[in-house]
Coordinates of all heavy atoms in Angstrom, one line a residue:
M1 N 0.8 -1.2 0.0 CA 0.0 0.0 0.0 C 0.9 1.2 0.0 O 1.8 1.4 0.8 CB -0.9 0.0 1.2 CG -1.8 1.1 1.3 SD -2.9 0.9 2.7 CE -3.9 2.4 2.5
Q2 N 0.6 2.2 -0.9 CA 1.3 3.4 -1.0 C 1.1 4.3 0.3 O 0.0 4.5 0.8 CB 0.8 4.2 -2.2 CG 1.8 4.3 -3.3 CD 1.3 5.2 -4.4 OE1 0.1 5.5 -4.5 NE2 2.2 5.6 -5.3
K3 N 2.2 4.9 0.8 CA 2.1 5.8 1.9 C 1.8 7.2 1.3 O 2.4 7.6 0.2 CB 3.5 5.9 2.6 CG 3.8 4.6 3.3 CD 2.9 4.3 4.4 CE 3.3 3.0 5.1 NZ 2.4 2.7 6.2
S4 N 1.0 8.0 1.9 CA 0.6 9.3 1.4 C 1.4 10.4 2.2 O 1.7 10.3 3.3 CB -0.9 9.5 1.6 OG -1.3 9.4 3.0
V5 N 1.6 11.5 1.4 CA 2.4 12.6 1.9 C 1.8 13.9 1.6 O 1.2 14.1 0.5 CB 3.8 12.5 1.3 CG1 4.7 13.7 1.9 CG2 4.5 11.2 1.5
V6 N 1.9 14.9 2.5 CA 1.6 16.3 2.3 C 2.9 17.0 2.4 O 3.6 16.9 3.4 CB 0.5 16.8 3.3 CG1 0.4 18.3 3.2 CG2 -0.8 16.2 3.1
I7 N 3.1 17.9 1.4 CA 4.4 18.7 1.4 C 4.0 20.1 1.5 O 3.1 20.6 0.9 CB 5.1 18.6 0.0 CG1 5.5 17.1 -0.3 CG2 6.3 19.5 0.0 CD1 6.0 16.9 -1.7
A8 N 4.7 20.8 2.5 CA 4.5 22.3 2.6 C 5.9 22.9 2.6 O 6.7 22.7 3.5 CB 3.8 22.6 4.0
E9 N 6.1 23.6 1.5 CA 7.4 24.2 1.2 C 7.1 25.5 0.4 O 6.5 25.4 -0.7 CB 8.3 23.3 0.5 CG 9.5 23.8 -0.2 CD 10.5 24.5 0.7 OE1 11.1 23.9 1.6 OE2 10.7 25.7 0.5
D10 N 7.6 26.6 0.8 CA 7.3 27.9 0.1 C 8.1 28.1 -1.1 O 7.7 28.9 -2.0 CB 7.3 29.1 1.1 CG 8.7 29.3 1.7 OD1 9.5 28.4 1.7 OD2 9.0 30.5 2.1
E11 N 9.2 27.4 -1.4 CA 9.9 27.5 -2.6 C 9.4 26.4 -3.6 O 9.5 25.2 -3.4 CB 11.4 27.2 -2.3 CG 12.1 28.3 -1.5 CD 12.3 29.6 -2.2 OE1 12.3 29.6 -3.4 OE2 12.3 30.6 -1.4
A12 N 8.8 26.9 -4.6 CA 8.1 26.0 -5.6 C 9.0 25.0 -6.2 O 8.7 23.8 -6.4 CB 7.4 26.8 -6.7
I13 N 10.3 25.4 -6.5 CA 11.2 24.4 -7.2 C 11.6 23.3 -6.2 O 11.7 22.2 -6.6 CB 12.4 25.2 -7.7 CG1 13.3 24.2 -8.6 CG2 13.3 25.7 -6.6 CD1 12.6 23.9 -9.9
I14 N 11.8 23.6 -4.9 CA 12.1 22.6 -3.9 C 10.9 21.7 -3.7 O 11.0 20.5 -3.6 CB 12.5 23.3 -2.6 CG1 13.8 24.0 -2.8 CG2 12.7 22.2 -1.5 CD1 14.3 24.9 -1.6
R15 N 9.7 22.3 -3.7 CA 8.5 21.5 -3.6 C 8.3 20.5 -4.7 O 8.0 19.3 -4.5 CB 7.3 22.4 -3.5 CG 6.0 21.8 -2.9 CD 5.0 22.8 -2.6 NE 4.5 23.6 -3.7 CZ 4.6 24.9 -3.7 NH1 5.0 25.6 -2.7 NH2 4.2 25.6 -4.8
L16 N 8.6 21.0 -5.9 CA 8.6 20.1 -7.1 C 9.6 19.0 -7.0 O 9.3 17.8 -7.3 CB 8.8 20.9 -8.4 CG 8.9 20.2 -9.7 CD1 7.5 19.5 -10.0 CD2 9.2 21.1 -10.8
D17 N 10.8 19.3 -6.6 CA 11.9 18.3 -6.4 C 11.5 17.3 -5.4 O 11.7 16.1 -5.6 CB 13.2 18.9 -6.0 CG 13.9 19.7 -7.2 OD1 13.5 19.4 -8.3 OD2 14.8 20.4 -6.9
L18 N 10.9 17.7 -4.3 CA 10.5 16.8 -3.3 C 9.4 15.8 -3.8 O 9.4 14.6 -3.6 CB 9.9 17.5 -2.0 CG 10.9 18.2 -1.1 CD1 10.2 19.1 -0.1 CD2 11.8 17.1 -0.4
R19 N 8.4 16.4 -4.5 CA 7.4 15.6 -5.1 C 7.9 14.5 -6.0 O 7.6 13.3 -5.9 CB 6.4 16.5 -5.9 CG 5.3 15.6 -6.6 CD 4.4 16.5 -7.5 NE 3.3 17.0 -6.8 CZ 2.2 16.4 -6.5 NH1 2.1 15.1 -6.9 NH2 1.2 16.9 -5.9
E20 N 8.8 14.9 -6.9 CA 9.4 14.0 -7.8 C 10.2 12.9 -7.1 O 10.0 11.7 -7.5 CB 10.3 14.7 -8.8 CG 9.6 15.5 -9.8 CD 10.5 16.3 -10.8 OE1 11.7 16.2 -10.7 OE2 9.9 17.0 -11.6
M21 N 11.0 13.2 -6.1 CA 11.8 12.2 -5.4 C 10.9 11.3 -4.7 O 11.1 10.1 -4.7 CB 12.7 12.9 -4.4 CG 13.9 13.6 -5.1 SD 15.1 14.2 -3.9 CE 14.3 15.6 -3.1
L22 N 9.8 11.8 -4.0 CA 8.9 10.9 -3.2 C 8.1 10.0 -4.2 O 8.0 8.8 -3.9 CB 8.0 11.8 -2.4 CG 8.6 12.5 -1.2 CD1 7.7 13.6 -0.7 CD2 8.9 11.5 -0.1
E23 N 7.7 10.5 -5.3 CA 6.9 9.7 -6.2 C 7.8 8.6 -6.8 O 7.3 7.5 -7.0 CB 6.2 10.6 -7.3 CG 5.1 11.4 -6.7 CD 4.4 12.3 -7.6 OE1 5.0 12.6 -8.7 OE2 3.3 12.8 -7.3
E24 N 9.0 8.9 -7.1 CA 10.0 7.9 -7.6 C 10.2 6.8 -6.6 O 10.5 5.7 -7.0 CB 11.3 8.6 -8.0 CG 11.3 9.4 -9.2 CD 12.6 10.1 -9.5 OE1 13.6 9.9 -8.8 OE2 12.6 10.9 -10.5
E25 N 10.1 7.1 -5.3 CA 10.2 6.1 -4.3 C 8.9 5.4 -3.9 O 8.9 4.6 -3.0 CB 10.9 6.8 -3.0 CG 12.3 7.2 -3.3 CD 13.3 6.1 -3.6 OE1 13.1 5.0 -3.1 OE2 14.1 6.3 -4.5
G26 N 7.9 5.7 -4.6 CA 6.6 5.0 -4.4 C 5.6 5.7 -3.5 O 4.6 5.1 -3.2
Y27 N 5.9 6.9 -3.0 CA 4.9 7.6 -2.2 C 3.9 8.3 -3.0 O 4.2 8.7 -4.2 CB 5.7 8.7 -1.3 CG 6.6 8.1 -0.3 CD1 7.9 7.8 -0.6 CD2 6.1 7.8 1.0 CE1 8.7 7.2 0.4 CE2 6.9 7.3 2.0 CZ 8.2 7.0 1.7 OH 9.0 6.4 2.6
A28 N 2.7 8.5 -2.5 CA 1.7 9.3 -3.1 C 1.6 10.7 -2.5 O 1.2 10.8 -1.3 CB 0.3 8.6 -3.0
V29 N 2.0 11.7 -3.2 CA 1.9 13.1 -2.7 C 0.4 13.5 -3.0 O 0.0 13.7 -4.1 CB 2.9 14.0 -3.4 CG1 2.7 15.4 -2.9 CG2 4.3 13.5 -3.2
V30 N -0.3 13.6 -1.9 CA -1.8 13.8 -2.0 C -2.1 15.3 -2.0 O -3.2 15.7 -2.4 CB -2.6 13.1 -0.8 CG1 -2.5 11.6 -1.0 CG2 -2.1 13.5 0.5
A31 N -1.2 16.2 -1.5 CA -1.4 17.6 -1.5 C -0.1 18.3 -1.3 O 0.8 17.8 -0.7 CB -2.4 18.0 -0.4
E32 N -0.1 19.6 -1.7 CA 1.1 20.4 -1.5 C 0.7 21.8 -1.4 O -0.3 22.2 -2.0 CB 2.2 20.2 -2.5 CG 1.7 20.4 -3.9 CD 2.8 20.1 -4.9 OE1 2.9 18.9 -5.3 OE2 3.5 21.0 -5.4
T33 N 1.5 22.6 -0.7 CA 1.2 24.0 -0.5 C 2.5 24.8 -0.2 O 3.5 24.1 0.2 CB 0.2 24.3 0.6 OG1 -0.1 25.7 0.7 CG2 0.7 23.7 2.0
G34 N 2.5 26.1 -0.2 CA 3.6 26.9 0.2 C 3.3 27.7 1.5 O 4.1 28.5 1.9
R35 N 2.2 27.3 2.2 CA 1.8 28.0 3.4 C 1.6 27.0 4.5 O 1.0 26.0 4.3 CB 0.5 28.8 3.2 CG 0.7 29.9 2.1 CD -0.7 30.7 2.0 NE -1.1 31.2 3.3 CZ -0.8 32.3 3.8 NH1 0.0 33.2 3.1 NH2 -1.3 32.7 5.0
G36 N 2.1 27.4 5.7 CA 1.9 26.5 6.9 C 0.5 26.3 7.3 O 0.1 25.3 7.7
D37 N -0.3 27.4 7.3 CA -1.7 27.3 7.7 C -2.5 26.4 6.7 O -3.3 25.6 7.2 CB -2.4 28.7 7.8 CG -2.2 29.6 6.6 OD1 -1.4 29.3 5.7 OD2 -2.8 30.7 6.6
E38 N -2.2 26.5 5.5 CA -2.9 25.6 4.5 C -2.4 24.2 4.7 O -3.2 23.2 4.5 CB -2.6 26.1 3.1 CG -3.2 27.4 2.7 CD -2.8 27.9 1.3 OE1 -2.1 27.2 0.6 OE2 -3.3 29.0 0.9
A39 N -1.2 24.0 5.1 CA -0.7 22.6 5.3 C -1.5 21.9 6.4 O -1.9 20.7 6.3 CB 0.8 22.7 5.7
V40 N -1.8 22.6 7.5 CA -2.6 22.0 8.6 C -4.0 21.6 8.1 O -4.4 20.5 8.3 CB -2.7 23.0 9.8 CG1 -3.6 22.4 10.8 CG2 -1.3 23.2 10.4
A41 N -4.6 22.5 7.3 CA -5.9 22.2 6.7 C -5.8 21.0 5.8 O -6.7 20.1 5.7 CB -6.5 23.4 6.0
L42 N -4.7 20.9 5.0 CA -4.6 19.8 4.0 C -4.4 18.4 4.8 O -4.8 17.4 4.3 CB -3.4 20.0 3.1 CG -3.7 21.1 2.0 CD1 -2.4 21.5 1.3 CD2 -4.7 20.7 1.1
V43 N -3.7 18.5 5.9 CA -3.5 17.3 6.7 C -4.9 16.8 7.3 O -5.2 15.6 7.2 CB -2.5 17.5 7.9 CG1 -2.5 16.4 8.9 CG2 -1.1 17.7 7.3
Q44 N -5.7 17.8 7.7 CA -7.0 17.4 8.2 C -7.9 16.8 7.1 O -8.6 15.9 7.3 CB -7.7 18.6 8.8 CG -7.0 19.1 10.1 CD -7.5 20.4 10.6 OE1 -8.2 21.1 9.9 NE2 -7.2 20.7 11.9
E45 N -7.7 17.4 5.9 CA -8.5 16.9 4.8 C -8.1 15.5 4.2 O -8.9 14.7 3.9 CB -8.4 17.9 3.6 CG -9.2 17.6 2.4 CD -9.1 18.6 1.3 OE1 -8.6 19.8 1.6 OE2 -9.4 18.3 0.1
H46 N -6.8 15.3 4.1 CA -6.3 14.1 3.5 C -5.8 13.0 4.4 O -5.5 11.9 3.9 CB -5.1 14.5 2.5 CG -5.6 15.4 1.4 ND1 -6.2 14.9 0.3 CD2 -5.5 16.7 1.2 CE1 -6.5 15.9 -0.6 NE2 -6.1 17.0 0.0
S47 N -5.6 13.3 5.7 CA -5.1 12.3 6.6 C -3.9 11.5 6.1 O -3.9 10.3 6.0 CB -6.2 11.3 7.0 OG -7.2 12.0 7.6
P48 N -2.8 12.2 5.8 CA -1.6 11.5 5.2 C -0.8 10.7 6.3 O -1.0 10.9 7.5 CB -0.7 12.7 4.7 CG -1.0 13.8 5.7 CD -2.5 13.6 5.9
D49 N 0.0 9.9 5.8 CA 0.9 9.1 6.7 C 2.1 10.0 7.1 O 2.6 9.8 8.3 CB 1.5 7.9 6.0 CG 0.4 6.9 5.5 OD1 -0.3 6.4 6.4 OD2 0.2 6.7 4.3
L50 N 2.5 10.9 6.3 CA 3.7 11.7 6.5 C 3.5 13.1 6.0 O 2.8 13.4 5.0 CB 4.9 11.1 5.8 CG 6.2 11.9 5.8 CD1 6.8 11.9 7.2 CD2 7.2 11.2 4.8
C51 N 4.0 14.1 6.8 CA 4.0 15.5 6.4 C 5.5 16.0 6.3 O 6.3 15.6 7.2 CB 3.3 16.4 7.4 SG 1.7 15.9 7.7
I52 N 5.8 16.7 5.2 CA 7.1 17.3 5.1 C 6.9 18.8 5.1 O 6.3 19.3 4.1 CB 7.9 16.8 3.9 CG1 8.0 15.3 4.0 CG2 9.2 17.5 3.8 CD1 8.7 14.7 2.7
F53 N 7.4 19.5 6.1 CA 7.2 20.9 6.3 C 8.5 21.7 6.3 O 9.4 21.3 7.0 CB 6.5 21.2 7.6 CG 5.1 20.7 7.7 CD1 4.5 20.7 9.0 CD2 4.3 20.3 6.7 CE1 3.2 20.2 9.2 CE2 3.0 19.8 6.8 CZ 2.4 19.8 8.1
D54 N 8.5 22.8 5.6 CA 9.6 23.7 5.6 C 9.5 24.4 7.0 O 8.4 24.6 7.5 CB 9.6 24.7 4.5 CG 10.8 25.7 4.4 OD1 11.8 25.3 5.0 OD2 10.6 26.7 3.8
I55 N 10.6 24.8 7.6 CA 10.6 25.4 8.9 C 10.1 26.9 8.8 O 9.4 27.3 9.7 CB 12.0 25.4 9.5 CG1 11.9 25.6 11.0 CG2 13.0 26.4 8.9 CD1 13.1 25.2 11.8
K56 N 10.3 27.6 7.7 CA 9.9 29.0 7.6 C 9.0 29.1 6.4 O 9.4 28.8 5.2 CB 11.1 29.9 7.3 CG 12.1 29.9 8.5 CD 11.6 30.8 9.6 CE 12.7 30.9 10.7 NZ 12.3 31.6 11.8
M57 N 7.7 29.4 6.6 CA 6.7 29.6 5.6 C 5.8 30.7 5.9 O 5.6 31.0 7.1 CB 5.9 28.3 5.4 CG 6.6 27.1 4.9 SD 5.5 25.7 4.7 CE 5.2 25.2 6.4
P58 N 5.1 31.3 5.0 CA 4.1 32.3 5.3 C 2.8 31.6 5.9 O 2.6 30.4 5.8 CB 3.7 32.9 3.9 CG 4.5 32.1 2.9 CD 5.4 31.2 3.5
G59 N 2.1 32.4 6.6 CA 0.8 31.9 7.2 C 1.0 31.3 8.5 O 0.3 31.6 9.5
M60 N 1.9 30.4 8.6 CA 2.3 29.7 9.9 C 3.6 29.0 9.6 O 3.8 28.3 8.6 CB 1.2 28.6 10.2 CG 1.5 27.8 11.4 SD 0.3 26.5 11.7 CE -1.1 27.4 12.3
D61 N 4.5 29.1 10.5 CA 5.8 28.4 10.3 C 5.7 26.9 10.5 O 4.7 26.4 11.0 CB 6.9 29.0 11.2 CG 6.7 28.7 12.7 OD1 6.6 27.6 13.0 OD2 6.6 29.7 13.4
G62 N 6.7 26.2 10.0 CA 6.6 24.7 10.0 C 6.6 24.1 11.4 O 6.0 23.1 11.6
L63 N 7.2 24.8 12.3 CA 7.2 24.3 13.7 C 5.8 24.4 14.3 O 5.4 23.4 15.0 CB 8.2 25.0 14.6 CG 9.7 24.8 14.2 CD1 10.6 25.7 15.1 CD2 10.1 23.4 14.4
S64 N 5.2 25.5 14.1 CA 3.8 25.6 14.6 C 2.9 24.6 13.9 O 2.0 24.0 14.6 CB 3.3 27.1 14.4 OG 4.1 28.0 15.1
A65 N 3.0 24.5 12.6 CA 2.2 23.5 11.9 C 2.4 22.1 12.4 O 1.5 21.3 12.6 CB 2.5 23.6 10.4
A66 N 3.7 21.8 12.7 CA 4.1 20.5 13.2 C 3.5 20.2 14.5 O 3.0 19.1 14.8 CB 5.6 20.3 13.2
R67 N 3.5 21.2 15.4 CA 2.9 21.1 16.7 C 1.4 20.8 16.6 O 0.9 20.0 17.3 CB 3.1 22.4 17.5 CG 4.5 22.5 18.1 CD 4.6 23.7 19.0 NE 6.0 24.0 19.3 CZ 6.8 24.9 18.6 NH1 6.3 25.6 17.7 NH2 8.1 25.0 18.9
E68 N 0.7 21.5 15.7 CA -0.8 21.3 15.6 C -1.0 19.8 15.1 O -1.9 19.2 15.6 CB -1.4 22.3 14.6 CG -1.7 23.6 15.2 CD -2.7 24.4 14.5 OE1 -3.6 23.8 13.9 OE2 -2.5 25.6 14.5
V69 N -0.3 19.4 14.1 CA -0.5 18.1 13.5 C -0.1 17.0 14.5 O -0.8 16.0 14.7 CB 0.4 17.9 12.2 CG1 0.4 16.5 11.7 CG2 -0.2 18.8 11.1
S70 N 1.0 17.2 15.2 CA 1.5 16.2 16.2 C 0.6 16.1 17.4 O 0.5 15.1 18.0 CB 2.9 16.5 16.6 OG 3.8 16.4 15.5
A71 N 0.0 17.3 17.8 CA -0.8 17.3 19.0 C -2.0 16.3 18.9 O -2.3 15.6 19.9 CB -1.4 18.7 19.2
D72 N -2.5 16.1 17.7 CA -3.6 15.2 17.5 C -3.2 13.9 16.9 O -4.0 13.1 16.5 CB -4.7 15.9 16.6 CG -5.3 17.1 17.2 OD1 -5.4 17.2 18.4 OD2 -5.7 18.0 16.4
R73 N -1.9 13.7 16.8 CA -1.3 12.4 16.3 C -1.9 12.1 14.9 O -2.2 11.0 14.6 CB -1.5 11.3 17.2 CG -1.0 11.4 18.6 CD 0.5 11.1 18.5 NE 1.1 11.2 19.9 CZ 2.3 11.6 20.1 NH1 3.1 12.0 19.1 NH2 2.8 11.7 21.3
K74 N -2.0 13.2 14.1 CA -2.6 13.0 12.7 C -1.7 12.4 11.7 O -2.1 11.7 10.9 CB -3.1 14.4 12.2 CG -4.3 14.9 13.0 CD -4.8 16.2 12.5 CE -6.0 16.6 13.2 NZ -6.1 18.0 13.5
A75 N -0.4 12.7 11.9 CA 0.6 12.2 10.9 C 2.0 12.4 11.5 O 2.2 13.2 12.4 CB 0.5 12.9 9.6
A76 N 2.9 11.6 11.0 CA 4.4 11.9 11.3 C 4.8 13.1 10.5 O 4.3 13.4 9.4 CB 5.2 10.7 10.8
V77 N 5.7 13.9 11.1 CA 6.2 15.2 10.5 C 7.7 15.2 10.4 O 8.4 14.9 11.4 CB 5.7 16.4 11.3 CG1 6.2 17.7 10.7 CG2 4.2 16.4 11.5
V78 N 8.2 15.6 9.2 CA 9.6 15.8 9.0 C 9.7 17.3 8.7 O 8.9 17.9 7.9 CB 10.1 15.0 7.8 CG1 11.6 15.4 7.5 CG2 10.0 13.5 8.1
I79 N 10.6 18.0 9.4 CA 10.9 19.4 9.2 C 12.1 19.6 8.3 O 13.2 19.0 8.6 CB 11.0 20.2 10.5 CG1 9.8 20.0 11.4 CG2 11.4 21.7 10.3 CD1 8.6 20.8 10.9
L80 N 12.0 20.4 7.3 CA 13.1 20.8 6.4 C 13.6 22.2 6.8 O 12.8 23.1 7.0 CB 12.7 20.8 5.0 CG 12.3 19.5 4.4 CD1 11.9 19.7 2.9 CD2 13.3 18.4 4.5
T81 N 14.9 22.4 6.8 CA 15.4 23.7 7.0 C 16.8 23.9 6.3 O 17.5 22.9 6.2 CB 15.6 24.0 8.5 OG1 16.0 25.4 8.6 CG2 16.5 23.1 9.2
E82 N 17.1 25.1 5.9 CA 18.4 25.4 5.4 C 19.1 26.2 6.5 O 20.3 26.5 6.3 CB 18.3 26.3 4.1 CG 17.6 27.6 4.4 CD 17.4 28.4 3.1 OE1 16.5 28.2 2.4 OE2 18.3 29.3 2.9
F83 N 18.5 26.4 7.6 CA 19.1 27.1 8.7 C 19.9 26.2 9.6 O 19.6 25.0 9.7 CB 18.0 27.8 9.6 CG 17.2 28.8 8.8 CD1 15.9 28.5 8.3 CD2 17.7 30.1 8.5 CE1 15.2 29.3 7.6 CE2 16.9 31.0 7.7 CZ 15.7 30.6 7.3
S84 N 21.0 26.7 10.2 CA 21.8 25.8 11.0 C 21.8 26.3 12.5 O 22.6 25.8 13.2 CB 23.2 25.8 10.4 OG 23.8 27.1 10.5
Q85 N 21.0 27.3 12.8 CA 21.0 27.7 14.2 C 20.5 26.6 15.1 O 19.5 26.0 14.9 CB 20.1 28.9 14.4 CG 20.6 30.2 13.7 CD 19.9 30.4 12.4 OE1 19.4 29.5 11.8 NE2 20.0 31.6 11.8
R86 N 21.3 26.3 16.2 CA 21.0 25.2 17.1 C 19.6 25.4 17.7 O 18.9 24.4 17.9 CB 22.1 25.2 18.2 CG 21.9 24.0 19.1 CD 22.2 22.8 18.4 NE 21.7 21.7 19.2 CZ 21.7 20.4 18.7 NH1 22.1 20.1 17.6 NH2 21.2 19.5 19.5
H87 N 19.2 26.6 18.1 CA 17.9 26.8 18.7 C 16.7 26.3 17.8 O 15.7 25.8 18.3 CB 17.7 28.2 19.3 CG 17.4 29.2 18.2 ND1 18.3 29.7 17.4 CD2 16.2 29.7 17.8 CE1 17.8 30.6 16.5 NE2 16.5 30.6 16.7
L88 N 16.9 26.5 16.5 CA 15.8 26.0 15.6 C 15.8 24.5 15.6 O 14.7 23.9 15.6 CB 16.0 26.6 14.2 CG 15.8 28.0 14.0 CD1 16.1 28.5 12.6 CD2 14.3 28.4 14.3
I89 N 16.9 23.9 15.6 CA 17.0 22.4 15.6 C 16.4 21.9 16.9 O 15.6 20.9 16.9 CB 18.4 21.9 15.5 CG1 18.9 22.3 14.1 CG2 18.5 20.4 15.7 CD1 20.4 22.2 13.8
D90 N 16.7 22.5 18.1 CA 16.1 22.1 19.3 C 14.6 22.3 19.3 O 13.9 21.4 19.8 CB 16.7 22.9 20.5 CG 18.2 22.5 20.7 OD1 18.6 21.4 20.3 OD2 18.9 23.3 21.3
E91 N 14.1 23.4 18.8 CA 12.6 23.6 18.7 C 12.0 22.6 17.9 O 10.9 22.1 18.2 CB 12.3 25.0 18.1 CG 12.4 26.1 19.1 CD 12.0 27.4 18.5 OE1 10.8 27.5 18.0 OE2 12.8 28.4 18.4
D92 N 12.6 22.3 16.7 CA 12.1 21.3 15.8 C 12.0 19.9 16.5 O 11.0 19.3 16.4 CB 13.1 21.1 14.6 CG 12.6 20.1 13.6 OD1 11.4 19.8 13.6 OD2 13.5 19.6 12.8
R93 N 13.0 19.5 17.2 CA 13.0 18.2 18.0 C 11.8 18.2 19.0 O 11.1 17.2 19.1 CB 14.3 18.0 18.7 CG 14.4 16.7 19.4 CD 15.5 16.6 20.4 NE 15.3 17.6 21.4 CZ 16.2 18.5 21.8 NH1 17.4 18.5 21.2 NH2 16.0 19.4 22.7
D94 N 11.6 19.3 19.7 CA 10.6 19.4 20.7 C 9.2 19.6 20.2 O 8.2 19.4 20.9 CB 10.9 20.6 21.7 CG 12.3 20.3 22.4 OD1 12.7 19.2 22.5 OD2 12.9 21.3 22.9
A95 N 9.0 19.9 18.9 CA 7.7 20.1 18.3 C 7.0 18.8 18.1 O 5.7 18.8 18.1 CB 7.8 20.9 17.0
A96 N 7.7 17.7 18.0 CA 7.0 16.5 17.7 C 6.5 15.7 18.9 O 6.6 15.8 20.0 CB 8.0 15.5 16.9

């Protein structure tokens, strides 16, 4: 059975690359967005197995979105970031 994924990444080219990589590996990308607030709504709508969220997005950042999704145990969440600040990594770890 295919695992379903919601992608939230505000850079369209990165979002496209993620979609292609995931689909090549057999995942079904059921929804994607560039906004954190929309990502939470898409998770509620599609009930994916996995969410991949960028850490910084308009509407709601990825950490806040991850907290909302994780609070209800709706899906596993992976956070992507290009930032290397330790406090963001610690916040990311604690969001799940």
Side-chain angles (χ1 to χ4, degrees):
M1 182 176 182
Q2 252 185 341
K3 297 292 184 181
S4 59
V5 181
V6 168
I7 301 171
E9 163 61 62
D10 60 339
E11 294 289 335
I13 191 73
I14 294 172
R15 200 167 57 237
L16 177 63
D17 286 345
L18 285 169
R19 173 185 273 279
E20 287 177 1
M21 286 188 288
L22 289 163
E23 288 176 344
E24 285 175 6
E25 293 299 323
Y27 292 89
V29 177
V30 294
E32 58 185 83
T33 182
R35 297 181 54 90
D37 51 351
E38 289 176 4
V40 173
L42 289 170
V43 169
Q44 292 172 346
E45 179 180 343
H46 295 282
S47 300
D49 299 297
L50 175 67
C51 304
I52 300 177
F53 294 165
D54 185 17
I55 199 166
K56 299 282 185 183
M57 292 182 286
M60 176 186 287
D61 65 60
L63 293 174
S64 297
R67 283 185 192 99
E68 279 201 36
V69 168
S70 295
D72 295 332
R73 301 280 184 215
K74 292 181 177 142
V77 180
V78 173
I79 301 289
L80 299 178
T81 182
E82 64 184 82
F83 301 100
S84 62
Q85 291 96 341
R86 184 67 196 175
H87 75 279
L88 289 175
I89 294 167
D90 291 340
E91 278 186 59
D92 179 22
R93 182 196 63 231
D94 295 338

